Structure formats: structure tokens, C-alpha cells
């Protein structure tokens, strides 16, 4: 099954994608993590993306689409995948269609802006592997240390309040129109993203079975 997760920054897409990925035995493809890897290694694409990310803007389509295309061609995507953070615009969705990528289901995790701002201020991310944690919802076993690789946990610049507000504005203007795009194709399901993590996971799995 080929799935897209939609939702504002901080809606819980990454956490839910990890859970659904394990349940369905398909990989999660997070454009955020791929781009952060490029930033860390200083690739040409990473340098291009840096100025956009730090100001809370979207990375240009041609850069994102290129790395997505390469990733979907890998063997582990042959039985399906979850796209987390892509597409973010109508042109990106159209580019997926042009690539011949058939999407089975699009799930939007719906959370109000006020809750998003509260969530993101408490988010911490592993500097080494990109795993996400939260000071309220998902604490690491040891404070400031990643459970998965032992790396340092940091607050990313794009989780600061001013950048969060900028990212929400961009989301509503550029990404939210995707709901109508996929609703017109009868592929959209909307799930309430407020509640316990496991409850939201079950709602998502239920809608995927429909």
C-alpha cells in the first residue's frame, strides 16, 4: 500500500508514520530526514536547502522531487511506502502522478494551530539519526540522549515559536489545498490528531482498512 500522510508541522506525522510502518512492514520516507542528512553532510542539494529551511520556507520542488524519485526506486519500496512530508504542494503531487507513482490512500492528521505551537516548542530531535522526541508526549529514556543511537537531542531552529508560526502560514497557503486535490480522487481520510498516540494510530489503521 502506497500512503501519504498530510498534516501541519508538529501534527504527529513522523510518530504515526513510524508506528504504521512497523505494522504494515513498509518503509517510511521522510523528506525532512533526507534533507537534514544532506544539510549535515554539506551536499550541493543540502546547501541549496539550508537557507529555505532556516527561514521556515519550503525547499524548491526540483530538489525535493529528485531525492524522492531516487528513494522510491530502491528495493524496499517495492511492496509499498509511507510518504511523510511529501508532497507539500499541488505541483509536487502532480509530479508524483507524472512519475507514475500510484497513491492508494492519503491520511490527514488534523490538529488545531494552538495545539501545534505547544507541541513543537517541546520537541527535541536527535542530531545524529533524526529521531523525534517530546518533553511531554515522548520522553527519551535518558534526558537529552537518543534511545536509538545515543546521539544528542536538540531543539531545532524550525521548532522555535517564530519559525513555527511562519511554517503554519506556509502550510495553510501551500499544502492544505492538497486535501481537496486528493478528496477529488476519493483518496483522502481525515483523522483527529488529538489524543493518545496509540488511539490515533488505531484510527489511522482503521481508515487504511476501509
Amino acid at each position: 500500500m502506497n500512503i501519504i500522510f498530510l498534516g501541519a508541522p508538529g501534527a504527529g506525522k513522523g510518530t504515526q508514520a513510524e508506528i504504521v510502518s512497523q505494522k504494515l512492514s513498509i518503509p517510511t520516507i521522510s523528506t525532512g530526514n533526507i534533507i537534514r542528512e544532506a544539510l549535515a553532510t554539506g551536499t550541493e542539494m543540502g546547501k541549496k536547502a539550508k537557507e529555505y529551511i532556516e527561514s521556515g520556507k519550503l525547499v524548491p520542488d526540483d530538489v525535493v522531487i529528485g531525492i524522492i524519485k531516487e528513494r522510491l526506486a530502491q528495493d524496499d519500496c517495492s511492496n509499498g511506502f509511507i510518504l511523510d512530508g511529501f508532497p507539500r504542494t499541488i505541483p509536487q503531487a502532480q509530479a508524483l502522478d507524472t512519475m507514475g507513482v500510484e497513491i492508494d490512500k492519503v491520511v490527514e492528521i488534523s490538529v488545531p494551530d494552538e495545539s501545534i505551537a505547544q507541541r513543537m516548542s517541546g520537541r527535541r530531535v536527535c542530531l545524529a539519526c533524526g529521531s523525534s522526541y517530546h518533553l511531554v508526549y515522548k520522553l527519551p529514556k535518558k534526558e537529552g540522549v537518543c534511545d536509538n543511537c545515543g546521539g544528542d537531542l536538540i531543539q531545532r531552529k524550525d521548532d522555535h515559536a517564530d519559525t513555527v508560526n511562519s511554517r503554519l502560514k506556509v502550510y495553510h497557503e501551500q499544502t492544505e489545498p492538497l486535501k481537496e486535490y486528493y478528496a477529488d480522487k476519493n483518496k483522502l481520510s481525515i483523522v483527529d490528531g488529538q489524543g493518545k498516540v496509540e488511539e490515533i494510530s488505531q484510527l489511522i489503521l482503521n481508515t487504511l482498512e476501509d
Side-chain angles (χ1 to χ4, degrees):
M1 181 177 273
N2 299 341
I3 307 163
I4 291 172
F5 276 14
L6 292 179
K13 298 187 299 298
T15 298
Q16 294 301 333
E18 284 180 24
I19 294 168
V20 176
S21 169
Q22 291 173 359
K23 293 278 188 183
L24 302 182
S25 299
I26 55 177
T28 296
I29 298 165
S30 166
T31 50
N33 284 347
I34 294 172
I35 291 168
R36 278 190 286 276
E37 285 171 17
L39 284 172
T41 54
T43 64
E44 183 181 348
M45 190 276 287
K47 290 173 184 174
K48 287 182 185 177
K50 185 176 182 180
E51 59 183 282
Y52 293 91
I53 290 175
E54 289 187 343
S55 61
K57 296 178 182 175
L58 295 176
V59 178
D61 283 359
D62 58 336
V63 176
V64 180
I65 290 166
I67 58 171
I68 289 291
K69 189 172 184 179
E70 290 177 354
R71 183 66 186 87
L72 294 183
Q74 295 180 19
D75 290 344
D76 63 341
C77 293
S78 60
N79 292 323
F81 53 80
I82 300 168
L83 285 176
D84 168 19
F86 183 92
R88 290 189 178 184
T89 63
I90 297 288
Q92 287 182 352
Q94 292 169 335
L96 269 184
D97 295 340
T98 302
M99 285 158 52
V101 177
E102 181 65 31
I103 299 300
D104 300 304
K105 199 83 171 180
V106 178
V107 179
E108 190 216 15
I109 302 173
S110 180
V111 180
D113 285 2
E114 304 78 37
S115 298
I116 293 285
Q118 182 182 18
R119 284 186 183 188
M120 293 183 75
S121 64
R123 190 157 70 175
R124 298 295 182 267
V125 176
C126 177
L127 198 57
C129 73
S131 295
S132 290
Y133 298 87
H134 197 280
L135 301 181
V136 176
Y137 305 111
K138 190 184 176 186
L139 282 167
K141 292 173 185 174
K142 184 178 178 183
E143 185 178 350
V145 179
C146 177
D147 294 349
N148 296 327
C149 74
D152 292 333
L153 301 183
I154 60 161
Q155 183 181 37
R156 297 202 320 253
K157 187 172 188 242
D158 52 3
D159 288 337
H160 292 179
D162 54 343
T163 312
V164 169
N165 290 333
S166 173
R167 293 176 72 197
L168 285 170
K169 183 173 183 289
V170 169
Y171 175 79
H172 292 307
E173 290 175 354
Q174 299 190 29
T175 305
E176 215 158 34
L178 284 170
K179 289 167 64 176
E180 185 176 349
Y181 182 84
Y182 285 114
D184 288 345
K185 297 175 181 286
N186 295 316
K187 293 181 179 179
L188 178 70
S189 295
I190 298 174
V191 169
D192 184 357
Q194 297 190 96
K196 294 181 179 178
V197 169
E198 57 271 21
E199 292 172 349
I200 299 165
S201 302
Q202 192 57 54
L203 290 173
I204 293 170
L205 290 167
N206 290 346
T207 196
L208 292 176
E209 291 171 1
D210 290 344

